[in-house]
Amino acid sequence: MKKLFAIIAASVFSLSAIVTSNAVAQTSFAQAIPAPTIAAKSWLLLDSTSNQILASSEPDMRIEPASLVKLMTAYIAFSAIQEKRIGLAQMVTVSTNAWKVDAESSKMFIEPRVPVSVNDLLYGLIVQSGNDAAVALAEAIAGTEDAFAVLMNREAERMGMKSTRFANSHGLPSPNNYSTARDLSILATHLVNDHPEFYKIYATKDFTYNKIKQSNRNRLLWLDPSVDGMKTGHTQQAGYCLISTAKRPNGNHERRLISVVLGTTSDQSRSQESQKLLNWGFQNFDTVKLYSKDAAIATPNVWKGSQNSIKIGFTHDVYVTVPKGQGAKIKPVLARKDPLVAPIDKNSQVGTIKVMSADNKVIAELPVLALEQVAQAGLFGRALDSIRLWIH
């Protein structure tokens, strides 16, 4: 399908993933807002504030990710720094293997046996898209690039990237380097949300190393002030690819969209199509906050418990994305798993909220959780409630 109508789609992220602080389990329904025509093999637009896919075309098509692979390389490097396995000031001795990586490909121009800081390698990886920087970081973290690829695939599995495989740290062609627009949107969302302190590097427009100044290949950093990343990619097989993200005001808060555009015909085209997709998403949709983190949306009765009621709600702020002007018309409908019988563990699911449109279509379906733990009552209390339940 080369064109799709805009959809409020099922989130692909698991409850256990730290992808976002918003809605997770969702169902989809079509909106009468036609998506723009995007000249790419595969594309997707995600509202990362609500975790909803607004529109897509061939989002599960297997593609060669080219330098988009470096998003995972950066993610693992950020995690290693956060866990103090490596440090920003740590000096890395460049191996011949890192220096020799495809002389015709993008590089930051590190030199063999000349130490370079992890901080400089990160900028070389992200701003200059240096394949040599990718290998140097991989070896610094895992010893060898093969061992680093194991870490990459382990992280991809943890994130729920079900159609992705990584063979190297840089994205140069390999039969075992493949992904999809859907999976890459998951990775991009993790990168923004899990490592905000490092993500700001993606907005850097140029970087100088070894007296060689190179510009960020993401043209949108110059064209759209709301764009603050992410990554370009290109090989002959992959075509020209761009994952871009922008953050713009949305009522009393900000809203972030992530576009994944894969397989365009030129550098200019990938920028134009990405900009078109971002503008369409911001112009045609609003993101509405439904519930705040840890706020009780109801206090239903509990049977056979050490207390008579329980606070239920969400462990994160909950947002939903709807067509412009429709926010006031949505209707949350709570369905509980009654009767609620103790013991009830904190964060266990006790119901579901269905967010309905004005014409009674399901926009999103969200798991409602116990915000506190309720232990069992004593023997007498349990016996009394058993009788009451039987009568009830």
Side-chain angles (χ1 to χ4, degrees):
M1 295 172 65
K2 288 297 178 185
K3 283 186 180 180
L4 293 182
F5 283 95
I7 56 173
I8 304 297
S11 166
V12 295
F13 308 122
S14 69
L15 280 167
S16 60
I18 318 173
V19 170
T20 181
S21 60
N22 304 308
V24 179
Q26 301 174 10
T27 56
S28 65
F29 80 110
Q31 294 289 343
I33 304 176
T37 299
I38 302 297
K41 294 178 182 177
S42 170
W43 58 267
L44 177 151
L45 180 64
L46 173 77
D47 187 322
S48 69
T49 304
S50 64
N51 241 8
Q52 292 173 227
I53 296 172
L54 305 184
S56 66
S57 177
E58 304 291 354
D60 299 309
M61 175 190 290
R62 181 183 287 191
I63 55 91
E64 180 183 307
S67 281
L68 302 180
V69 162
K70 295 186 178 91
L71 292 177
M72 180 60 86
T73 302
Y75 184 91
I76 292 175
F78 297 157
S79 297
I81 295 167
Q82 193 174 55
E83 296 163 6
K84 302 190 185 306
R85 290 185 282 122
I86 59 172
L88 286 172
Q90 178 180 328
M91 301 304 291
V92 175
T93 300
V94 179
S95 70
T96 302
N97 186 46
W99 172 66
K100 287 179 66 176
V101 63
D102 196 344
E104 301 301 316
S105 67
S106 55
K107 291 190 169 189
M108 72 174 287
F109 298 104
I110 51 180
E111 298 178 356
R113 295 177 297 280
V114 176
V116 55
S117 70
V118 167
N119 187 68
D120 281 348
L121 287 172
L122 287 176
Y123 277 84
L125 175 79
I126 293 167
V127 181
Q128 300 173 333
S129 196
N131 294 324
D132 48 358
V135 175
L137 281 168
E139 291 177 344
I141 293 167
T144 67
E145 195 169 14
D146 286 344
F148 189 77
V150 172
L151 297 181
M152 296 173 78
N153 289 314
R154 188 180 300 163
E155 278 296 326
E157 182 178 1
R158 182 187 69 83
M159 292 180 186
M161 299 171 66
K162 297 179 180 179
S163 302
T164 295
R165 186 75 184 172
F166 296 115
N168 54 49
S169 61
H170 40 65
L172 288 171
S174 166
N176 290 320
N177 261 344
Y178 54 83
S179 191
T180 66
R182 190 186 303 274
D183 278 3
L184 290 169
S185 74
I186 297 173
L187 173 56
T189 305
H190 267 286
L191 195 60
V192 172
N193 290 342
D194 295 356
H195 296 296
E197 71 279 22
F198 294 117
Y199 175 70
K200 61 186 179 182
I201 299 174
Y202 283 89
T204 304
K205 292 182 177 179
D206 56 64
F207 177 62
T208 301
Y209 179 79
N210 205 7
K211 299 181 180 180
I212 301 171
K213 182 178 180 179
Q214 297 185 66
S215 294
N216 195 315
R217 292 170 174 81
N218 183 358
R219 290 171 177 247
L220 294 187
L221 292 175
W222 284 266
L223 299 175
D224 184 343
S226 71
V227 171
D228 57 3
M230 284 193 177
K231 189 71 188 74
T232 60
H234 172 254
T235 64
Q236 185 174 357
Q237 177 65 29
Y240 289 83
C241 306
L242 174 60
I243 297 177
S244 54
T245 179
K247 188 167 59 173
R248 299 182 190 176
N250 183 76
N252 294 325
H253 62 277
E254 288 185 309
R255 173 181 174 217
R256 181 180 292 281
L257 298 186
I258 295 174
S259 68
V260 182
V261 174
L262 308 173
T264 70
T265 57
S266 68
D267 179 10
Q268 183 178 11
S269 177
R270 69 184 172 191
S271 299
Q272 289 176 340
E273 300 307 287
S274 297
Q275 183 76 83
K276 184 194 303 182
L277 200 51
L278 289 170
N279 286 342
W280 174 83
F282 282 116
Q283 289 165 3
N284 287 283
F285 294 89
D286 289 322
T287 300
V288 180
K289 185 174 182 179
L290 291 184
Y291 302 106
S292 296
K293 174 182 177 180
D294 295 331
I297 65 170
T299 52
N301 291 334
V302 175
W303 302 87
K304 302 184 181 182
S306 57
Q307 59 192 59
N308 295 325
S309 63
I310 184 172
K311 295 177 182 178
I312 64 174
F314 301 92
T315 56
H316 47 70
D317 291 338
V318 174
Y319 294 85
V320 64
T321 301
V322 295
K324 283 280 185 183
Q326 297 297 307
K329 299 178 182 179
I330 59 177
K331 299 173 291 186
V333 178
L334 172 62
R336 295 198 307 265
K337 293 182 176 180
D338 287 339
L340 298 178
V341 180
I344 300 173
D345 292 330
K346 186 176 181 179
N347 296 334
S348 60
Q349 185 172 348
V350 294
T352 302
I353 284 245
K354 288 185 178 181
V355 183
M356 312 297 292
S357 65
D359 55 354
N360 289 319
K361 292 180 179 178
V362 178
I363 298 173
E365 187 168 331
L366 315 167
V368 178
L369 308 180
L371 297 179
E372 55 187 333
Q373 182 171 332
V374 179
Q376 276 190 332
L379 181 61
F380 178 77
R382 295 200 306 274
L384 183 60
D385 272 1
S386 293
I387 296 170
R388 294 170 61 200
L389 271 172
W390 180 74
I391 297 172
H392 182 76

